[in-house]
Amino acid sequence: MNATLRSPPRQATGSVLRQLWAVSAFFTRPAAIIRTYPRNALPRDLVAGLTVALVVLPQAIAYALIAELPPQMGLYAAIVGSIVGALWGSSHHLQTGPTNAASLLVLSVLLTISTPGTPDYLIVAGMMALLVGIFRLVIGLARLGILVNFVSDSVIVGFTAGAGLLIFLNQLRNLLRLNVASTPALGETLQGVVTHLDETHVPSLALGVGAILIILLLRRLSRRLPGPLIAMVATSFAVGLLGLGNQGVKVIGQLPRGLPPLTPLPLLELELIGKLSTGALAVAGIGLVEAMSIARSIASKTGQRLDSNQEFVGQGLANIACGFLSGYTCSGSFTRSAVNFEAGALTSLSSVFCGLFVLAAVLGLAPLAAYIPLSALAGVLAVTAYSLIDRRSMARIWRGGGGDRVIMVVTLLATLLLPLQFAVLTGILMSLAYYLLQTSTPQVRPVLPNDTFTHFVYRPDKPPCPQLGIIEILGDLYFGAVHHIEESIQENSDRNPSQRFLLLRMHSIEHCDVSGIHALEHIARTYREHGGDLYLTRVGESVMEIMRATGFDQFLGADHLL
């Protein structure tokens, strides 16, 4: 008896230990990377890290500008995000750091809580990164990575297109050097730009247009050239040489030199956490979908097997670290990840080297940022914003029609007209609703033998058998679909009242739950009450298991399972 009493606790203890061991494996990822690192990969990873660093330097500064944050916060997020995201992530090539979409979402959320340029604004940005990181970390540790599969590509395409338009329009004020306050509302932004258009500062506009032309020209020459970096260097040289800073051209100003400083965050301010939580959840969701889409697109070329839960842990830890180390919300970048892959990176250490190269640039080149004009950064962002509008994908979705077209259009309009966190959640909820609608209305159709009596086929032009109805269900028999299935079978019975017997073809049903069993019992009782019966054919093993477990096989009768 004592042994019996002690056994369950020992089993429970073993189960807990196994769960703790599984969770701890997420956090020991860096040790696994270093232990298995091939030495011959070092030269290629170093070159790839340096190449991506040349791209991320101007992007990090420009994206911080989108979020109305100091440029050093973008650089700190690039440094910390690259290193932490690579060491604790799953993909060999995913590059983590500031992104267009995340920066715009951050701006949309923070403007409702604080004022740009104030110390509180920086603290709130750090808190948002922390909350985003916690949401992503929890999803990864709970092994809920599969949830991102329920977000349609149409949501991403629609949101990024809308984000591109918002970024472009919001940067007009910096491109023209207009005294217009930043606002997440599209109408207010356009009204402010049009009202102050006569205040356009021509030298600032010339620098911005010059930066755009340099990037576009270099793209024609070679995609490998770091166009944004060269454009920023060229316009900064023009500012210093011609003394444009004294003529009203706004510049970034000198950046602080040093390691990313530790930022104390108000972890116990529940009111602030409540205000940030909805936006942080939206940013966490769209960022995870974006990151996994990027990682999978590259993994399809390399053959790497990805662990979405490990990637979510990496993205979560990267954001938590950015929150505490003076950065802001980060995510996976498609542009930089593609550059990382094309530059020949073999392992995730290439992103670690990228973060170290950016850190070296911050320590050595920070004073030169005093000459970077804001209008040139606005020009860089105008080009990148335009690239967010994936016209080819939008055209394919539009031609495909159906629910995907509706989801894309609604998400795009919601991005332009609603607060961004609600626009993202609208798109995600529409994807889930569309999925549920599709799965809850499976095709239920009567079939008849073909002319050679070798297959059952849908033949609405042929008269049905007067005694036996044969129906196939093309979908799962779960709680969301049973009402539709029962109604369809009842409609067939009403059309053919002489059919006292029913044969259900079950070969397409992969999943059946208790609600499905109850529906089958109800159908069987209905036919038996009219002197007939129900028969099932080609029932899969997974469905048979629940039929045996619930006793439905005995209720129906073994001779009724054909």
Side-chain angles (χ1 to χ4, degrees), residues 30 90 114 152 260 326 527:
S90 170
S114 187
S152 167
S326 301
Y527 274 84

Side-chain angles (χ1 to χ4, degrees), residues 456-523:
F456 284 104
V457 293
Y458 178 55
R459 308 183 72 176
D461 56 319
K462 298 291 183 179
C465 172
Q467 289 91 19
L468 173 67
I470 306 173
I471 292 179
E472 63 180 7
I473 302 171
L474 304 179
D476 287 333
L477 189 58
Y478 78 108
F479 65 91
V482 293
H483 179 70
H484 170 76
I485 292 171
E486 284 187 288
E487 280 195 338
S488 299
I489 292 174
Q490 184 60 48
E491 288 174 3
N492 179 77
S493 178
D494 294 340
R495 287 194 302 268
N496 305 281
S498 63
Q499 290 181 347
R500 295 185 298 113
F501 297 91
L502 176 65
L503 174 65
L504 287 182
R505 304 188 75 227
M506 308 280 285
H507 61 285
S508 295
I509 298 178
E510 299 289 339
H511 171 68
C512 178
D513 62 7
V514 174
S515 297
I517 296 296
H518 289 162
L520 292 175
E521 290 175 344
H522 178 261
I523 294 169

Side-chain angles (χ1 to χ4, degrees), residues 356-484:
L356 295 176
F357 283 128
V358 175
L359 176 60
V362 170
L363 295 176
L365 305 176
L368 300 180
Y371 298 100
I372 298 176
L374 289 177
S375 59
L377 281 175
V380 171
L381 288 172
V383 176
T384 56
Y386 179 77
S387 66
L388 285 176
I389 305 173
D390 191 344
R391 292 171 295 172
R392 182 177 299 177
S393 294
M394 293 178 74
R396 291 184 65 186
I397 293 172
W398 183 264
R399 288 194 302 268
D404 285 328
R405 178 196 291 179
V406 175
I407 291 172
M408 179 187 70
V409 172
V410 171
T411 305
L412 173 59
L413 293 176
T415 302
L416 295 175
L417 302 175
L418 297 178
L420 285 185
Q421 62 271 31
F422 297 115
V424 173
L425 293 176
T426 297
I428 292 175
L429 290 175
M430 283 190 66
S431 290
L432 289 172
Y434 181 61
Y435 168 78
L436 292 174
L437 181 63
Q438 292 291 96
T439 59
S440 63
T441 55
Q443 198 168 4
V444 182
R445 63 186 188 184
V447 293
L448 292 170
N450 62 0
D451 292 335
T452 59
F453 286 83
T454 54
H455 299 288
F456 284 104
V457 293
Y458 178 55
R459 308 183 72 176
D461 56 319
K462 298 291 183 179
C465 172
Q467 289 91 19
L468 173 67
I470 306 173
I471 292 179
E472 63 180 7
I473 302 171
L474 304 179
D476 287 333
L477 189 58
Y478 78 108
F479 65 91
V482 293
H483 179 70
H484 170 76

Side-chain angles (χ1 to χ4, degrees), residues 40-122:
N40 61 346
L42 183 61
R44 293 180 64 175
D45 283 347
L46 282 169
V47 171
L50 178 60
T51 305
V52 177
L54 295 175
V55 176
V56 77
L57 274 168
Q59 283 191 351
I61 296 173
Y63 294 162
L65 182 66
I66 293 177
E68 297 285 328
L69 292 167
Q72 63 266 24
M73 289 189 71
L75 292 170
Y76 293 153
I79 295 167
V80 177
S82 291
I83 295 173
V84 177
L87 289 178
W88 276 274
S90 170
S91 172
H92 291 163
H93 298 94
L94 183 66
Q95 219 287 326
T96 304
T99 66
N100 264 315
S103 300
L104 188 62
L105 279 165
V106 167
L107 175 67
S108 177
V109 175
L110 298 192
L111 283 179
T112 62
I113 299 173
S114 187
T115 304
T118 62
D120 285 345
Y121 190 79
L122 308 186

